[in-house]
Each structure stands twice: as structure tokens, then as C-alpha cells.
């Protein structure tokens, strides 16, 4: 379970770019999802968000995990153009 902020605190959102948490989560997933384990990704997101400042206040996300094994996101294999053409012609 992922939370953009601990209970009882407020989350910050940039009117044009959205919330700090979602910005950093998306960026981290795009850049690191294929190389880091899921809880490592969330820890990195926590670090990125905690380094931001809004109105002289900080935000600290949190997550809990009941995973019993490491979770990795494997990148999809791209199909070659030849296999796509062959598949279409069948």
C-alpha cells in the first residue's frame, strides 16, 4: 500500500504539473522500473519527494508491504518488424 503522505499530514500539488508524489513515482518507474526491485523503487520515490519543498514545508510519503518475495517489472520484448509483417500475412 502506497501513500503520498503519512496520515494526518497534507500532500502538495503543483497546479500545472500535478502532485509531487505522482510526478516522482512516474519518473522513477520510467527510468528505473526495469532495474530495481519494487520496494527499492518506492524508497527512491520517498527520497525524491522528501527533498522537495512547498511553502517551506516538506512532504514524506510512506508505504507498507506484505510481499514475501522480490517484485521486478520486466520490460516487454519488442517484436521485430519481420515478425509483425509475417503475423499480419498469416
Amino acid at each position: 500500500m502506497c501513500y503520498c503522505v503519512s496520515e494526518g499530514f497534507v500532500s502538495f500539488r503543483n497546479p500545472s504539473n500535478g502532485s509531487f508524489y505522482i510526478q516522482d513515482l512516474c519518473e522513477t518507474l520510467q527510468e528505473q522500473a526495469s532495474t530495481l526491485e519494487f520496494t527499492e523503487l518506492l524508497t527512491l520515490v520517498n527520497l525524491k519527494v522528501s527533498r522537495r519543498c512547498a511553502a517551506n514545508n516538506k512532504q514524506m510519503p510512506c508505504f507498507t508491504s506484505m510481499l514475501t518475495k522480490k517484485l521486478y517489472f520486466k520490460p516487454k520484448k519488442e517484436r521485430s518488424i519481420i515478425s509483425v509483417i509475417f503475423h499480419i500475412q498469416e
Side-chain angles (χ1 to χ4, degrees):
M1 185 80 59
C2 304
Y3 301 94
C4 65
V5 69
S6 300
E7 187 175 341
F9 293 90
V10 296
S11 172
F12 300 104
R13 184 179 66 86
N14 180 299
S16 59
N17 297 325
S19 74
F20 292 167
Y21 184 78
I22 295 299
Q23 288 177 44
D24 290 335
L25 176 63
C26 291
E27 178 183 287
T28 301
L29 289 173
Q30 287 174 340
E31 295 174 358
Q32 304 286 332
S34 64
T35 59
L36 295 176
E37 191 269 334
F38 186 62
T39 57
E40 293 173 322
L41 291 166
L42 294 178
T43 301
L44 184 55
V45 171
N46 285 359
L47 175 64
K48 288 180 176 185
V49 174
S50 71
R51 289 183 172 168
R52 291 180 179 243
C53 234
N56 216 19
N57 293 303
K58 294 213 174 231
Q59 177 178 335
M60 188 66 225
C62 61
F63 66 91
T64 59
S65 171
M66 292 187 192
L67 293 173
T68 58
K69 295 182 179 180
K70 293 186 179 219
L71 174 63
Y72 290 92
F73 296 105
K74 299 292 181 192
K76 287 184 177 182
K77 293 181 182 177
E78 291 186 31
R79 297 191 312 181
S80 71
I81 189 68
I82 294 171
S83 67
V84 171
I85 292 170
F86 181 74
H87 181 71
I88 292 171
Q89 292 176 351
E90 290 184 320

